């Protein structure tokens, strides 16, 4: 399989920026905790604008973000030697044509800081071939190496419970998105009892690639 990412960095960044900016403007959810929204936006845009068979996956994930200090970001928990996830501890990402794409990866460090973590996570794009997955989190040794384990039943439950609140925002993202280098159209986010708010891209910029 090619080592080139499935979608270019510019396209990944545009999708991530739109999801981040729309959610921030709406104020309906904590952006740093909205992995379902980022995955939903990413999967929908990849299907509709790139004609790719993108799906949303939910489960546990681990990623080495700092090899020198052996810092691994992990979603889920370990119990009796097994890596588990549930509605209280999970992550969501996109799977497409043999690739894992995490559109929330550039801001994972912000989420960690909210949890009291002191180590720095650079803002990077995360696109990895599914086949390069490590067999367990403990097998991760080098920066960028990762593990994941999806749970279809958990995905169905969480998407059913969270999907409805994001329907209107997903439509806004689709209306706003254009493939780079095309400029984005001017669009406003309507809100109850307030003047519509013009949308602007304001997501933190990406600094590299995992």
């Amino acid at each position: 399989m090619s080592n080139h990412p499935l979608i270019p960095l510019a396209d990944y960044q545009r999708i991530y920026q739109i999801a981040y900016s729309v959610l921030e403007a709406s104020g309906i959810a904590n952006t740093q905790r909205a992995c379902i929204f980022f995955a939903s936006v990413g999967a929908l845009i990849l299907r509709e604008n790139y004609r790719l068979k993108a799906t949303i996956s939910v489960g546990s994930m681990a990623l080495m973000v700092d090899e020198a200090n052996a810092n691994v970001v992990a979603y889920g928990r370990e119990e009796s030697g097994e890596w588990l996830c549930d509605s209280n501890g999970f992550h969501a990402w996109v799977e497409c044509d043999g690739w894992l794409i995490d559109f929330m990866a550039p801001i994972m460090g912000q989420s960690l800081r909210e949890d009291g973590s002191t180590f720095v996570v650079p803002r990077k794009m995360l696109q990895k071939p599914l086949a390069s997955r490590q067999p367990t989190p403990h097998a991760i040794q080098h920066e960028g190496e990762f593990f994941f384990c999806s749970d279809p039943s958990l995905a169905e439950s969480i998407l059913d419970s969270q999907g409805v609140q994001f329907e209107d925002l997903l439509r806004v993202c689709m209306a706003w998105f254009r493939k780079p280098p095309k400029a984005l159209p001017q669009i406003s986010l309507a809100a109850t009892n307030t003047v519509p708010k013009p949308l602007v891209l304001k997501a933190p910029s990406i600094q590299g690639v995992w």
Side-chain angles (χ1 to χ4, degrees):
M1 179 178 291
S2 170
N3 289 324
H4 293 291
L6 182 64
I7 60 172
L9 174 59
D11 297 64
Y12 174 99
Q13 179 161 267
R14 175 68 60 86
I15 296 170
Y16 144 73
Q17 288 177 325
I18 280 182
Y20 182 100
S21 302
V22 169
L23 195 57
E24 281 284 291
S26 75
I28 71 169
N30 185 336
T31 303
Q32 286 74 40
R33 305 288 181 182
C35 59
I36 288 292
F37 181 71
F38 279 84
S40 298
V41 171
L44 188 58
I45 288 177
L46 291 179
R47 291 175 201 153
E48 297 297 321
N49 292 273
Y50 294 81
R51 299 295 184 257
L52 294 170
K53 296 180 179 179
T55 59
I56 301 169
S57 289
V58 174
S60 55
M61 182 187 290
L63 173 72
M64 175 74 81
V65 297
D66 182 352
E67 185 173 344
N69 296 295
N71 288 334
V72 175
V73 172
Y75 301 93
R77 67 186 188 281
E78 188 177 25
E79 290 185 4
S80 302
E82 292 188 31
W83 201 256
L84 305 175
C85 60
D86 55 29
S87 59
N88 294 317
F90 67 89
H91 193 50
W93 60 89
V94 174
E95 292 187 22
C96 184
D97 286 0
W99 286 79
L100 179 151
I101 310 175
D102 183 357
F103 287 104
M104 193 175 170
I107 59 168
M108 68 171 67
Q110 294 176 226
S111 176
L112 289 171
R113 284 195 295 275
E114 288 189 359
D115 289 337
S117 173
T118 58
F119 67 83
V120 176
V121 180
R123 293 189 296 269
K124 294 185 178 183
M125 174 178 76
L126 179 55
Q127 288 191 72
K128 295 285 188 179
L130 297 175
S132 65
R133 164 190 178 272
Q134 295 298 312
T136 70
H138 297 293
I140 294 173
Q141 297 182 0
H142 305 294
E143 187 169 305
E145 290 185 344
F146 73 109
F147 161 85
F148 71 91
C149 181
S150 57
D151 184 334
S153 61
L154 179 62
E156 183 177 0
S157 172
I158 290 174
L159 287 169
D160 285 345
S161 65
Q162 295 191 14
V164 174
Q165 68 172 315
F166 293 135
E167 286 182 359
D168 289 342
L169 296 186
L170 288 173
R171 284 193 283 270
V172 172
C173 291
M174 290 300 298
W176 198 20
F177 179 79
R178 297 292 185 275
K179 286 185 180 182
K182 290 183 178 178
L184 295 178
Q186 292 184 336
I187 189 170
S188 296
L189 184 65
T192 305
N193 299 324
T194 63
V195 176
K197 181 186 302 184
L199 288 171
V200 294
L201 291 181
K202 61 176 183 178
S205 60
I206 293 174
Q207 301 167 331
V209 176
W210 290 113

